Amino acid sequence: MSAPNRNVLWGRAIVDELVRNGVERVVVSPGSRSTPLVTAVDEHDDLHVCSVLDERSAAYFALGRARRTGETTPLICTSGTAAANYHPAVIEADRGRVPLLLLTADRPPELRDSGANQTVDQEKLYGDAVRWYKDLSEPAADERKLRSLRTDVARALVAATGSPSGPVHLNCPFRKPLEPTPVPGDVPADLDPLAAIGRDGDKPFVTATTGVPQLDRADLRQVAEALSVDRGLIVAGPADPPGVDPQAITALAHATGFPIVADPLSGLRFGGHTRVTTTVGGYDGYLDPRVTDEWPDPEVVFRIGASPTSKRLRKYLARVDTRQFVVDPAGAWREAEFTASDLVVADPCRLAARLAEVVRNAGDADWRERWATAERTHRDVVADATDDGAGGYFEGAILADVADLAPEPATLVVSNSNPVRDADRYMPPTDAGYTVLGNRGASGIDGVTSTALGAGSATTDHLSLVIGDLAYYHDGNGLLSALRCGVDATIVMVNNDGGGIFHRLPIESFDPPFTESFVTPHGLDFEPTGDLYGLDYTAVEDRESFRDAYAESVASDGTDVIDVRTDSEASQRTRERLAEETVVELVE
Ligand SMILES: Cc1ncc(C[n+]2csc(CCOP(=O)(O)OP(=O)(O)O)c2C)c(N)n1
Ligand SMILES: [Mg+2]
C-alpha cells in the first residue's frame, strides 16, 4: 500500500483496522483537521458513511445506531468545539452503556495552549465518561508506531464493547498536509507490510476474544436456593445494548413461576414470550400503597437491567421487605433506593438460563393471578376512558395507539420524558415484534430525533418516534439526517406547547415562575420544518385523525411528522384520574 504521505498512511491504517474488526458504518462531520481520516473512510469500499453536519446530532445519531445494534459506531470530527459537541451523547452513551468510538482530530502537540486557531484542550475531554482514552502519537511511517496504532484500534473496540460497554475516545493529532498531497520520501517504499497494510487476508491485527462474567457452581446453587420460593418477581429495567435474550428470561420465569415486570425499554415488554409468561407492564398505573398493602410481599426479587423507568415500581420495590438481587455484568449498582441486599456480578441472561436449569418451582398461582388481575383492571379502566371518542383522548392514549397500529417488525423510539412514561403505563405487553428504545441513561431531551434516525439507519424495521414538542425543537438539526442518511420514519410529535411533564410536579402550584420558566410555552408553528427538511407534515387534533394519519404514514414512504395537538394539563389530570379509578377498583 503506497501512500502519498504519512497522514494518509496513518488514516488508512486506522480505518482499515476498523473494517477488519467488523465496523460497517461511520458517522462523519465536516472539518479540515480530520481530513486524513475522512479521506480514508471515503476511499474504503466496505464502509458506509453517514455525513451529519451538526456534531451534537451526529453523536446522537451514532448512539441510536449503536443502541439498536449493540455494535460500536465510530464518529469522526475536526478539532475544537466540534469535539465538545459530542459531549451530551457521550454522557448518554456512558450511562446507557452504548458503544461509541470518538475519533477527534487535533492540532499537533506544540500548538496546544499557543493561541493557535481552533485549538482547544482535547486531552481527556470527556473525563470519566469514556471507558478508555488515548492521545494517539503523531502520524509516522514507522513500523513500531504503526503496529502500536493498529493495536490501539483493536483495544479501543474491545473497551467499547467490554463490561460495561460505552464510549471510547481516541484523540488524533495531525500536521499538514492533511490532504493526499504527495510528499516525496515521507513514506519509505520498503515499509514493513505488516505495519503498513496489516495482516494477510481480512484478519484484524489483534484478534480479541471477550468472555462474560459468570458464577461458579456453588454460588449459582445459592442464588437458585434463594429463588426456590413461592412468590417472586423478575424485574427487568432498561436493557443494555444489544438487549436481552427473551428465551433465557422466559426459561427462568417458567422455572420459578415468577411474573416478569417488564420496563418498556427492557426488551421484554413485547414479544412471543408474553403469550407463555405472566408479563406485566401496567404497574405504573396500580402499584399504589393502598393496593399493595393488601398484597403479601414477594419473597425474592431478581433485578436485571438499569433502574426501572417507573417511580411507582421503584418505590414499591423499596417498600417490600424482601431479599433483592441486583444482577449486573459490570458489578455496577443500579438501584437508587438502596434496599437491594445482593449484588450478583454476572451476565443476566446467561445466569437466568443456568438458573432455569436448577430451580424447580411452579410458583404461587395466586400471586401470578394477583398481578394479572391488576393488569386487566388497569387496561379496562384505560380502555373505557379512551373509547368514548375525542373527549377521552389524552397524551397516554397516543402511545397506546402507536403500540396498537405500528406494523411488525417496528423499532419504536420514545422521548424523555412524558412519552417514555406514557409508554411505560399505556403500552400493554403483547406479542408484537417491537423493539422499544429510549435515552434513559441520562434522560436528556436533546438528541432524541437523531437517536431515533440513527436507530432507524441500522434496521429495515418500520421506525416510529414519539417525541414531545420541546424535544423536537431541541434537536431540530437532527431532522436533516432523515433525507441525508436515507431513513424513513413516522415522527409523532405530542405537541402541548411546552414541557407538559412539569404538571406532575408541585411547582405547578407556584405560578410565576411555573408557566414562563418551567412549561415554557413557545407558540412555535413547526409546519415549516416539513418544507425545510423534506418531510410530510400533518397536524391533527383528535383520536380518529391521529389514527388515520399514523396508518397512512406507516403505509407510505418517506418521513412524516404528525403534529398531535394536546392539552398537557388536561392529560395529566386524566392520568391521575385513571390511576385513581384503577386503585379504587382494585381495593374494593
Ligand atoms: C437537555 C435537557 N434539558 C432539560 C431537561 C429537563 N426536561 C425534562 S422533560 C422537559 C420538557 C420536555 O418537553 P416536551 O419534549 O415537550 O415533552 P412533554 O413534557 O411536554 O411531554 C425538560 C425541559 C432535560 N431532561 N434534558
Ligand atoms: Mg411538550
Side-chain angles (χ1 to χ4, degrees):
M1 191 201 287
S2 70
N5 61 49
R6 65 183 67 191
N7 285 337
V8 171
L9 180 75
W10 201 253
R12 280 180 185 164
I14 293 173
V15 171
D16 181 51
E17 279 308 318
L18 290 176
V19 174
R20 285 164 184 261
N21 279 283
V23 168
E24 290 173 355
R25 193 175 286 236
V26 177
V27 179
V28 167
S29 299
S32 164
R33 192 57 51 170
S34 46
T35 301
L37 294 169
V38 175
T39 49
V41 163
D42 189 60
E43 71 185 12
H44 210 297
D45 293 340
D46 300 330
L47 211 47
H48 189 103
V49 183
C50 293
S51 157
V52 181
L53 281 60
D54 173 331
E55 287 81 4
R56 186 165 73 172
S57 298
Y60 273 112
F61 186 91
L63 176 114
R65 189 178 169 78
R67 202 187 262 301
R68 180 67 183 81
T69 59
E71 291 163 11
T72 308
T73 307
L75 283 144
I76 296 173
C77 74
T78 190
S79 63
T81 58
N85 272 282
Y86 282 168
H87 210 150
V90 173
I91 290 170
E92 174 61 29
D94 170 31
R95 304 319 307 158
R97 300 184 172 181
V98 184
L100 295 179
L101 174 55
L102 311 148
L103 297 162
T104 58
D106 201 354
R107 308 282 160 136
E110 74 276 10
L111 293 185
R112 295 179 191 164
D113 194 20
S114 71
N117 181 43
Q118 212 176 315
T119 309
V120 304
D121 184 2
Q122 297 181 195
E123 277 276 317
K124 302 197 172 174
L125 182 60
Y126 312 110
D128 286 342
V130 293
R131 302 291 175 265
W132 189 49
Y133 166 80
K134 186 159 182 182
D135 193 25
L136 295 181
S137 53
E138 285 188 66
D142 172 274
E143 288 162 15
R144 188 165 179 219
K145 284 188 175 170
L146 281 160
R147 289 200 304 272
S148 139
L149 177 68
R150 287 180 181 271
T151 306
D152 282 344
V153 173
R155 288 182 64 194
L157 292 169
V158 168
T161 50
S163 194
S165 46
V168 168
H169 180 197
L170 294 181
N171 195 47
C172 312
F174 291 107
R175 63 180 71 240
K176 291 179 176 177
L178 303 166
E179 300 75 17
T181 312
V183 178
D186 203 25
V187 179
D190 61 348
L191 195 67
D192 168 29
L194 183 65
I197 62 171
R199 305 241 176 246
D200 279 349
D202 301 334
K203 278 187 79 170
F205 193 69
V206 174
T207 300
T209 309
T210 312
V212 292
Q214 63 173 5
L215 301 188
D216 66 27
R217 276 177 183 216
D219 291 332
L220 183 79
R221 228 176 295 125
Q222 289 205 4
V223 179
E225 245 166 60
L227 298 191
S228 298
V229 290
D230 288 341
R231 291 186 314 279
L233 292 173
I234 300 169
V235 175
D240 302 333
V244 297
D245 168 14
Q247 270 187 347
I249 308 300
T250 303
L252 184 62
H254 281 156
T256 56
F258 300 166
I260 303 172
V261 183
D263 188 275
L265 308 177
S266 65
L268 293 166
R269 178 64 69 90
F270 297 103
H273 65 280
T274 59
R275 275 187 246 122
V276 292
T277 57
T278 302
T279 302
V280 299
Y283 45 77
D284 194 59
Y286 56 77
L287 283 182
D288 185 277
R290 284 170 291 165
V291 174
T292 57
D293 283 354
E294 304 295 314
W295 293 8
D297 281 350
E299 295 162 279
V300 70
V301 175
F302 184 84
R303 301 171 66 140
I304 62 170
S307 181
T309 305
S310 165
K311 188 175 172 190
R312 270 188 158 175
L313 172 58
R314 296 193 306 265
K315 294 287 174 202
Y316 166 71
L317 294 173
R319 278 198 305 278
V320 296
D321 182 15
T322 297
R323 186 164 184 195
Q324 294 197 36
F325 289 87
V326 169
V327 182
D328 189 73
W333 193 256
R334 303 169 101 183
E335 189 278 291
E337 297 293 337
F338 310 105
T339 51
S341 51
D342 292 72
L343 175 64
V344 180
V345 184
D347 177 76
C349 291
R350 291 277 183 94
L351 177 63
R354 290 178 71 206
L355 284 168
E357 286 171 12
V358 282
V359 179
R360 275 292 158 257
N361 167 32
D364 177 349
D366 288 347
W367 173 244
R368 282 196 298 274
E369 190 45 38
R370 222 174 248 289
W371 285 86
T373 306
E375 285 287 298
R376 267 195 309 277
T377 309
H378 162 76
R379 268 202 228 191
D380 291 348
V381 166
V382 175
D384 285 352
T386 52
D387 275 355
D388 63 353
Y393 205 45
F394 76 113
E395 290 169 1
I398 297 170
L399 276 296
D401 279 344
V402 168
D404 183 30
L405 298 173
E408 295 177 53
T411 294
L412 309 177
V413 179
V414 286
S415 177
N416 295 313
S417 127
N418 266 327
V420 68
R421 291 176 203 278
D422 283 341
D424 196 8
R425 203 184 273 193
Y426 303 111
M427 281 186 166
T430 66
D431 62 2
Y434 299 154
T435 303
V436 189
L437 305 175
N439 284 343
R440 287 309 280 179
S443 298
I445 59 163
D446 48 341
V448 178
T449 298
S450 297
T451 301
L453 294 174
S457 77
T459 165
T460 53
D461 288 5
H462 162 80
L463 172 68
S464 277
L465 162 65
V466 184
I467 186 168
D469 51 300
L470 287 194
Y472 183 85
Y473 160 81
H474 220 300
D475 193 22
N477 286 358
L479 290 167
L480 187 58
S481 294
L483 269 188
R484 277 181 74 83
C485 302
V487 186
D488 282 5
T490 298
I491 301 179
V492 177
M493 187 213 312
V494 182
N495 187 355
N496 52 23
D497 194 18
I501 190 80
F502 297 113
H503 282 288
R504 294 173 187 253
L505 301 176
I507 191 69
E508 187 186 31
S509 354
F510 300 88
D511 199 8
F514 179 66
T515 304
E516 277 314 305
S517 299
F518 288 82
V519 179
T520 56
H522 44 73
L524 289 173
D525 172 10
F526 291 109
E527 184 166 6
T529 57
D531 279 347
L532 188 58
Y533 294 112
L535 320 167
D536 284 324
Y537 171 93
T538 322
V540 297
E541 297 196 350
D542 60 69
R543 179 173 212 178
E544 212 175 290
S545 325
F546 171 66
R547 288 178 68 96
D548 289 348
Y550 186 83
E552 210 172 293
S553 167
V554 162
S556 63
D557 290 340
T559 293
D560 302 289
V561 177
I562 308 173
D563 178 339
V564 198
R565 305 285 161 80
T566 63
D567 179 330
S568 58
E569 192 180 350
S571 286
Q572 182 52 24
R573 299 294 91 86
T574 304
R575 288 182 191 99
E576 290 160 5
R577 180 168 55 78
L578 297 182
E580 187 58 25
E581 275 178 37
T582 308
V583 169
V584 167
E585 267 201 42
L586 283 169
V587 294
E588 257 173 11

